[in-house]
Amino acid sequence: MARRKIVAGNWKMNKTPSEAVALVEELKPLVKSEDVDVVFCVPAIDIIPVVEATKGTNIKVGAENMYYEESGAFTGEISPAMLTDAGVEYVVLGHSERREYFAETDETVNKKMLKAFEHGLTPIMCCGETLEQREQGVTMDFIRQQVKIGFLNVTAEQAKKAVIAYEPIWAIGTGKTASTAQAQEVCADIRKCIAEVYDEATAAAVRIQYGGSVNADTAADLFSQNDIDGGLVGGASLKADFGKIVNYK
Ligand SMILES: O=C[C@H](O)COP(=O)(O)O
């Protein structure tokens, strides 16, 4: 069965609540699609107004992070139940910016993955190598480790619903997109890794996005690769171009 494409915008730390609503209103008519799942992953404080503003559209709302505990004395954190209660369906986990600036590790990402599934949230688990790792030829060893630890104790049934975002760190926010061949090669190997950990059926079901300077000019080539099922888009998700990326065909 063909995998359904999924194009998600990661707004990162951009847009106040009122700006968020204005952006949703601008993008709403542009991101209509019958064939593509469209997700807006927004800052925590924007979630409630964005859920409200996207009602009745094809747009799903995602969070950019969450904590792995149910509730309690974890000042500043957001629980999975808070997200689901607010109408969130997706959650970005282990973005490289969180790994770099907020000390996220493969182990904490794994805890978050398990908790997200427990609450019926769909994780978009990010992985990707640095430029140094690519130059040293250890890209796949590194990514395989991120994927294997991230999916530890995740069942095959859960894994089938997961989204993995391959984001080479050197391509994020740099304007330097990975070539379609580079992106396809890594996404295919991630799928192979999932097949080794689980089975072919699970590997065939999991959706793998590419992320890193995706724009309206590069989306069509990238998203038409065999193992690339859409994109996780940063900068270009904050402008009208996002509509062109969703409707890349
Ligand atoms: O999550 C999105 C990625 O970090 C890509 O960001 P970018 O499209 O601005 O390069």
Side-chain angles (χ1 to χ4, degrees):
M1 205 180 75
R3 289 178 297 274
R4 194 171 155 83
K5 300 281 183 194
I6 174 164
V7 176
N10 175 10
W11 289 11
K12 307 194 178 184
M13 197 175 75
N14 292 295
K15 304 298 171 187
T16 65
S18 53
E19 289 169 347
V21 171
L23 181 59
V24 170
E25 293 306 329
E26 182 191 345
L27 293 180
K28 248 191 225 179
L30 307 176
V31 299
K32 283 186 184 153
S33 170
E34 296 285 314
D35 322 316
V36 174
D37 288 340
V38 180
V39 188
F40 287 4
C41 299
V42 305
I45 198 163
D46 296 342
I47 286 171
I48 289 174
V50 169
V51 166
E52 191 56 38
T54 52
K55 277 201 178 126
T57 74
N58 60 320
I59 303 164
K60 307 286 186 197
V61 179
E64 297 177 13
N65 181 38
M66 61 163 224
Y67 199 47
Y68 53 73
E69 295 288 353
E70 289 293 331
S71 63
F74 304 103
T75 302
E77 292 295 323
I78 307 273
S79 77
M82 291 172 186
L83 297 181
T84 53
D85 189 62
V88 167
E89 294 181 46
Y90 291 82
V91 59
V92 177
L93 296 178
H95 191 281
S96 61
E97 287 148 16
R98 295 218 51 92
R99 293 177 190 259
E100 185 180 351
Y101 306 129
F102 304 101
E104 294 235 346
T105 62
D106 292 336
E107 287 71 25
T108 57
V109 171
N110 175 239
K111 287 183 183 181
K112 292 179 179 191
M113 288 280 285
L114 295 169
K115 200 46 99 173
F117 281 121
E118 204 181 295
H119 283 265
L121 288 158
T122 299
I124 300 178
M125 197 203 86
C126 302
C127 57
E129 81 286 4
T130 61
L131 185 57
E132 202 182 12
Q133 286 166 330
R134 177 159 282 271
E135 285 168 356
Q136 286 169 350
V138 297
T139 295
M140 269 330 298
D141 293 340
F142 181 69
I143 292 174
R144 277 172 167 261
Q145 172 171 304
Q146 288 184 316
V147 171
K148 282 183 180 165
I149 300 177
F151 277 79
L152 216 59
N153 298 320
V154 171
T155 67
E157 282 321 297
Q158 291 170 331
K160 280 179 184 156
K161 296 183 197 129
V163 179
I164 299 173
Y166 166 53
E167 300 206 311
I169 293 169
W170 49 271
I172 297 176
T174 58
K176 198 176 169 189
T177 317
S179 70
T180 47
Q182 284 173 323
Q184 162 59 23
E185 185 186 26
V186 176
C187 291
D189 207 58
I190 292 172
R191 200 176 301 287
K192 210 168 142 209
C193 176
I194 294 289
E196 287 161 18
V197 173
Y198 297 97
D199 48 52
E200 291 295 338
T202 306
V206 69
R207 292 190 289 179
I208 305 177
Q209 297 173 313
Y210 167 79
S213 297
V214 173
N215 60 43
D217 297 327
T218 55
D221 268 358
L222 286 162
F223 300 173
S224 53
Q225 300 298 303
N226 278 348
D227 289 290
I228 303 180
D229 306 310
L232 183 57
V233 184
S237 72
L238 298 167
K239 15 183 213 189
D241 263 14
F242 192 59
K244 293 189 193 145
I245 296 173
V246 168
N247 293 292
Y248 63 93
K249 276 187 197 159

